[in-house]
């Protein structure tokens, strides 16, 4: 296993980097917890799957889209992620 030793002599698993490179610079649809949906261009991510998205739109329940610009999405709030473009 891949482990990293912390200060308190406890052993914690080292976070794995999510395999999201193929999604970089692609427009993706994201379903968040609490029933929210957004789509935007994936600009970056980290080992915790926190996402940086540009040109983001929030999709309303009626299907309309509201522009919200650039956002950072916490990885633990992502339920599903689908590329709109072929990866």
């Amino acid at each position: 296993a891949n482990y990293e030793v912390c200060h308190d002599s406890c052993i914690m698993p080292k976070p794995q980097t999510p395999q999201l490179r193929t999604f970089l610079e692609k427009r993706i649809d994201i379903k968040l917890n609490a029933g929210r949906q957004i789509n935007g261009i994936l600009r970056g991510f980290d080992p915790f799957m926190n996402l940086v998205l540009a040109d983001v739109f929030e999709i309303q329940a009626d299907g309309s889209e509201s522009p919200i610009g650039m956002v950072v999405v916490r990885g633990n709030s992502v339920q599903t992620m689908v590329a709109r473009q072929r990866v």
Side-chain angles (χ1 to χ4, degrees):
N2 193 4
Y3 290 99
E4 181 177 327
V5 179
C6 62
H7 303 1
D8 309 318
S9 298
C10 64
I11 297 176
M12 296 175 52
K14 201 172 193 179
Q16 296 279 341
T17 303
Q19 299 299 312
L20 296 176
R21 279 195 174 83
T22 57
F23 290 93
L24 281 173
E25 302 304 322
K26 303 277 192 292
R27 182 160 292 277
I28 56 175
D29 290 324
I30 299 176
K31 186 175 182 181
L32 303 170
N33 55 12
R36 296 179 75 181
Q37 285 187 276
I38 60 173
N39 74 60
I41 299 168
L42 181 64
R43 298 294 170 142
F45 60 91
D46 69 8
F48 301 101
M49 212 175 111
N50 297 315
L51 308 173
V52 177
L53 300 162
D55 193 26
V56 178
F57 291 87
E58 182 173 13
I59 294 114
Q60 309 297 327
D62 64 2
S64 64
E65 296 184 350
S66 302
I68 54 176
M70 182 172 275
V71 298
V72 175
V73 178
R74 282 193 59 169
N76 65 352
S77 66
V78 175
Q79 289 184 345
T80 62
M81 187 166 67
V82 178
R84 281 194 172 186
Q85 303 165 291
R86 189 172 180 91
V87 289

